[in-house]
Amino acid sequence: KNIIINQKAGSVVIGAGTTVGEPVAGGATYYLPMSVVVADSNGNPVSNATVTLSVWPAYYRTGNWVMVGSSCVANVTATFDNEDINRNLIFDAGEDVPYLKGPYPVSSQGFTISDTSAQDSNGQEKFTVDGSIEGGPSGLITFVSDGVLTPGNSAGGTLPATVTTDANGLANFDLYYAKEYSIWIRDEIKATTLALGTETTGVLTMTLPALKKDADNCLLAPSPFNPKSPAP
């Protein structure tokens, strides 16, 4: 969607830095430098533009850290949608997804639910079901709900409500988040600006990164969402 800036169509984009920082060395929090850029249709900077920012933990992951050779790597077993479908922070009917306990495959009475280790275009894990389960496996598998929305909105971190672009059309800010959610949360970060009554939004979907030395040395905890695995 376009906006009109100085009588020309414009856009806003979001960028993430490559170096994770720690507000307190060895503490419980990371920060990631980020920026937004607002330009007109000629690529000229739009200065003094107010950009509204928001962050949402759109996806959460299960998994753990494993040693591969001399380094520790994240073993992501599955990626799931945030249960709060309408993003109103209220536990509405139907939003708490039923779960069965992994790890996959889960077998019972001649059929097996398996994790394919493949993902669709949204990063969602794909599953297969083998064998006949016409009518549903009533009484054979117990699906449960935990009674809370997963994940909480603060799992995605925090950032400033607004920033203002400089003479280069650029505004810098930091995203702060708890270390325990790095790798296990995929954020949706939005930047919105308004000009002459028309709004435009840039969106960046990204996995919360970890500090390399923490990841390489297996200092980070497994996913806080283990051992939940959703019903197919």
Side-chain angles (χ1 to χ4, degrees):
K1 186 176 180 180
N2 292 333
I3 61 172
I4 303 299
I5 301 175
N6 295 331
Q7 306 305 310
K8 298 179 181 179
S11 64
V12 55
V13 296
I14 313 167
T18 57
T19 303
V20 176
E22 293 179 290
V24 177
T29 307
Y30 289 139
Y31 69 88
L32 180 67
M34 304 193 71
S35 62
V36 294
V37 180
V38 181
D40 66 20
S41 60
N42 293 321
N44 304 131
V46 179
S47 62
N48 202 36
T50 298
V51 181
T52 301
L53 303 173
S54 66
V55 57
W56 180 253
Y59 306 99
Y60 66 97
R61 292 166 151 181
T62 57
N64 60 312
W65 294 90
V66 296
M67 290 299 298
V68 176
S70 60
S71 295
C72 193
V73 298
N75 173 40
V76 178
T77 56
T79 304
F80 311 121
D81 286 319
N82 190 314
E83 291 182 345
D84 191 0
I85 298 171
N86 57 10
R87 305 187 181 192
N88 66 353
L89 306 184
I90 298 173
F91 194 156
D92 297 311
E95 285 189 332
D96 191 16
V97 177
Y99 288 86
L100 60 84
K101 190 172 183 178
Y104 287 101
V106 176
S107 299
S108 179
Q109 301 294 313
F111 67 91
T112 301
I113 302 171
S114 301
D115 177 0
T116 66
S117 297
Q119 296 181 345
D120 62 22
S121 60
N122 293 317
Q124 298 295 285
E125 205 75 5
K126 294 180 179 179
F127 298 87
T128 61
V129 179
D130 300 320
S132 176
I133 55 172
E134 284 85 355
S138 178
L140 302 179
I141 294 180
T142 300
F143 294 103
V144 298
S145 299
D146 59 9
V148 296
L149 291 173
T150 305
N153 70 302
S154 59
T158 62
L159 40 64
T162 62
V163 291
T164 303
T165 58
D166 61 17
N168 297 311
L170 173 70
N172 297 308
F173 61 95
D174 292 325
L175 172 68
Y176 287 83
Y177 53 97
K179 287 184 178 181
E180 68 175 307
Y181 294 115
S182 55
I183 305 301
W184 312 121
I185 287 288
R186 281 181 59 77
D187 270 349
E188 180 183 278
I189 301 172
K190 290 186 177 181
T192 302
T193 192
L194 185 69
L196 299 182
T198 304
E199 181 179 274
T200 191
T201 299
V203 180
L204 174 66
T205 301
M206 54 166 279
T207 299
L208 293 179
L211 191 63
K212 189 176 187 302
K213 66 178 180 65
D214 288 344
D216 286 350
N217 292 291
C218 276
L219 299 180
L220 298 171
S223 170
F225 310 112
N226 293 343
K228 295 168 65 173
S229 297

